[in-house]
Amino acid sequence: MTVPVLSALRGVRESSVVTALEGAGGRISVTRRCADLAELLGAAAAGLGRVALVPDDLPLLDREAVVLLRESGVRVVALVDGGPRATERMLALGAEVVVDAGAPVADVVATVLSLADPGPGPGTAGVRAVGVAGALPDPAGAPAASDAGSGDVPVGDSTVGDGAAPDGGAEGPPVPPGRTVAVWGPTGAPGRTTVAVNLAAELAALPAPGVAGGAPGALLVDADTYGGTVAQVVGLLDEAPGIAAAARAAGQGVLDVTALARLTPVVEPGLRVLTGISRADRWPELPASSLDLVWETARGLAQWVVVDCGFCLEQDEVLSYDTHAPRRNAATLSALAAADVVVVVGGGDAVGMQRLVRGLSELADSGVAALARRVVVVNRVRASAAGRRPEHAVRDALARYAGVDDPHLVPDDGPAVDAALLRGATLREASPRSPAQASIAALAARVAGVQAHPPRARRALRSTVRG
Ligand SMILES: Nc1ncnc2c1ncn2[C@@H]1O[C@H](COP(=O)(O)OP(=O)(O)OP(=O)(O)O)[C@@H](O)[C@H]1O
Ligand SMILES: [Mg+2]
C-alpha cells in the first residue's frame, strides 16, 4: 500500500527528499508539497496524508499544530538542522521521529515506511531519533527512560521528569517526580481556592520522602479560567499571568524545569505559585496540548502540584464543531486528567450539598479523572446552615445521596480565613492552629498517603477523554 506523505520542507533539501520518496518503488507518494503550516494543516484535515515531514524552522509550528496533525491521523517526522536543542524542541512539540537533516535521504525513506507499519498511534509515545544525538525528552514531557517505549532513543540528561532537582538541575540525591492534586468543585464558590491554597501550603510543609533536610515543596497553580484569584489570595498583586507564559513556552517547545521555576515565585517557604489568567477572556491562551506539558514539567519542579480548577466540566465545543475547536474548560479538564488525586470541594449548606452531589455524578460521568483517587471535602461546615449536629447531617446526606462515606469536613472559620485573606498569606502563616488550618493540615496528610499513577496510564486517559 502506498503511503501518502505531506511535505512542508523547504529549500534544496525539499526536492532531494521528495525525489527520494517518490523513487521508493511506488511505496510512497508525496501528495502535497505545502508552502506553509496553514497549507499543511489543511491538507492533513482533508485526509491527504498519513505522514508529515516538517523542518525544525517551520514558522508557527507549535504543540497545538502537532496535535492537530495527529488528530487528523498524520504522524509527524521532523527534519532538524539545528543540533540537539532543535531536536529537543521538536520532540517537545510532539514530533514522533526526528531525523537529522544531514542524514542520508534513504534514512528519511526508511523512516516514512516504518511509520506506515502498524505501531503506536497518535498520542502515544513512539518517539525515535534518526541520526541525531542529545537529550531527548518524551513528547509529553515524561521521562524517556521509563516510558518512551522505544529502545532506540538515546536517553540523556533531560531537565524534565525523573531525577530533576526542584531547583532545576542542581546536584543532589534523585528526587521522585511530584504528584498532582486537582482541586475541583461545583459552581457557587464552595471554597476551591481556599482549600487549594492551604492544601498546597500544608503539603509543602510535609517532609519529603527520600530527600534529606527539608520540605519537598509544592507548586500551586491557578487554572481557573472563569475567575482565578490565587494571586490575590497569596498576596501576589500585579503579577503577569504565569500560567499563560508557561503554556506559551510549552507550546513552543521551550518549557523546562528551569524556565518554569522562573515563572513561579516562592511566596512562603517551599511554596511556589503559578498565577492564573487575570482576565477570563484570555482562556484561549491555555490549550490542553500545552498544559499537559506544563503539568509534566511541574512534577519535576515540586513534589506536589496543586491545581485550583474552574467549576465547569462541559465540552460543548466537541459537540458544536466538526473540526478542532479551542476549549474553554481545557485547563480544568487537562488538570483533572493529569491528577493523581482529585479533591472535590462542596459547601456545607443545603445548596452547596445539592450541588456537590450533582457535581460528583457529573465528574464520574465525564470520565475525566477516572484514574485519580477522589477525596471529597465539605467546606464551611456550620450549625447555622446544617442544623444542630452539622457534621452528622453532612455525612449522612453524602452517604445517602452520593454514596460517599468518608468526606473530609472543614469547619466554617471566618476569623481565620479572613485574617489570612487580609494578610495575603496562607492559614498556616496567618492563622496557625486555627480550626480551618488544623483541618486542612489533616487533609494534606490524607492526600499525601495517595500513590502516584504511572505516566503511561495518565496519557492513555488523556487521549480517551479527548476522544
Ligand atoms: N472554611 C471557611 N471558613 C470561612 N470562610 C471561608 C472558608 N472557606 C472559604 N471561605 C470564604 O468563602 C469565600 C469563597 O471561597 P473561595 O474563593 O475559596 O471559593 P471558590 O470555590 O474558589 O470560589 P470561585 O468560584 O469564586 O473560584 C471566600 O470569601 C473565602 O474567604
Ligand atoms: Mg476560586
Side-chain angles (χ1 to χ4, degrees):
M1 195 177 129
T2 305
V3 185
V5 171
L6 307 171
S7 168
L9 302 176
R10 298 177 301 172
V12 278
R13 185 84 179 147
E14 197 263 347
S15 53
S16 63
V17 169
V18 169
T19 305
L21 292 171
E22 291 285 7
R27 288 174 297 166
I28 299 173
S29 164
V30 179
T31 47
R32 183 68 67 88
R33 297 165 80 165
C34 306
D36 54 24
L37 180 64
E39 188 178 356
L40 176 65
L41 292 175
L48 297 182
R50 276 174 54 206
V51 176
L53 297 178
V54 298
D56 62 72
D57 59 352
L58 183 64
L60 302 179
L61 183 71
D62 61 9
R63 256 179 95 82
E64 191 66 1
V66 174
V67 166
L68 287 176
L69 290 168
R70 287 179 159 203
E71 285 181 355
S72 299
V74 174
R75 307 183 74 170
V76 179
V77 177
L79 263 67
V80 295
D81 210 359
R85 286 187 76 85
T87 300
E88 283 187 25
R89 182 174 163 267
M90 296 313 290
L91 289 172
L93 292 187
E96 273 179 88
V97 185
V98 174
V99 182
D100 191 288
V105 283
D107 284 358
V108 182
V109 173
T111 298
V112 169
L113 288 172
S114 72
L115 282 181
D117 289 338
T124 60
V127 181
R128 289 192 291 126
V130 179
V132 292
L136 304 183
D138 179 292
S146 61
D147 208 47
S150 173
D152 50 355
V153 181
V155 177
D157 49 356
S158 164
T159 53
V160 179
D162 266 343
D167 63 358
E171 294 284 321
V175 180
R179 279 172 276 176
T180 307
V181 182
V183 180
W184 177 81
T187 187
R192 290 185 306 271
T193 302
T194 304
V195 170
V197 167
N198 292 292
L199 180 59
E202 299 298 336
L203 286 169
L206 292 177
V211 181
L219 169 60
L220 170 65
V221 183
D222 189 343
D224 186 343
T225 48
Y226 290 87
T229 53
V230 166
Q232 286 92 326
V233 172
V234 299
L236 279 175
L237 298 179
D238 298 328
E239 271 295 310
I243 194 167
R248 210 161 34 244
Q252 291 161 2
V254 294
L255 184 72
D256 59 17
V257 170
T258 310
L260 188 59
R262 263 188 246 116
L263 295 169
T264 51
V266 177
V267 294
E268 285 177 12
L271 179 61
R272 290 178 175 276
V273 173
L274 187 63
T275 57
I277 50 173
S278 43
R279 288 181 9 210
D281 62 359
R282 292 185 67 173
W283 64 264
E285 294 177 43
L286 306 180
S289 57
S290 297
L291 289 176
D292 288 344
L293 190 54
V294 173
W295 310 137
E296 293 287 350
T297 308
R299 288 181 219 274
L301 178 63
Q303 278 299 288
W304 291 100
V305 181
V306 179
V307 187
D308 182 11
C309 298
F311 66 92
C312 192
L313 300 177
E314 284 166 15
Q315 303 191 55
D316 290 350
E317 304 87 348
V318 179
L319 304 174
S320 316
Y321 296 86
D322 285 341
T323 53
H324 182 90
R327 295 183 187 181
R328 168 108 203 210
N329 302 318
T332 293
L333 294 167
S334 72
L336 287 166
D340 299 295
V341 186
V342 175
V343 173
V344 182
V345 183
D349 54 66
V351 173
M353 292 293 289
Q354 191 205 32
R355 285 179 168 155
L356 176 59
V357 169
R358 207 175 304 144
L360 285 166
S361 103
E362 273 171 31
L363 183 67
D365 290 349
S366 74
V368 72
L371 287 176
R373 183 163 143 214
R374 190 192 65 179
V375 177
V376 177
V377 171
V378 182
N379 186 31
R380 306 196 68 173
V381 175
R382 57 201 187 276
S384 58
R388 211 160 40 84
R389 295 168 62 208
E391 302 204 350
H392 180 267
V394 163
R395 287 184 196 283
D396 188 50
L398 273 182
R400 192 176 307 185
Y401 299 113
V404 173
D405 53 15
D406 57 348
H408 184 90
L409 310 191
V410 178
D412 188 50
D413 190 357
V417 174
D418 285 352
L421 212 47
L422 190 64
R423 269 185 59 182
T426 62
L427 289 169
R428 196 180 165 76
E429 191 94 347
S431 312
R433 290 181 295 282
S434 61
Q437 187 269 327
S439 172
I440 296 179
L443 173 65
R446 180 169 168 184
V447 166
V450 173
Q451 291 302 310
H453 288 292
R456 183 184 293 279
R458 271 197 296 265
R459 273 204 297 279
L461 174 65
R462 281 202 298 263
S463 48
T464 310
V465 166
R466 289 192 198 136

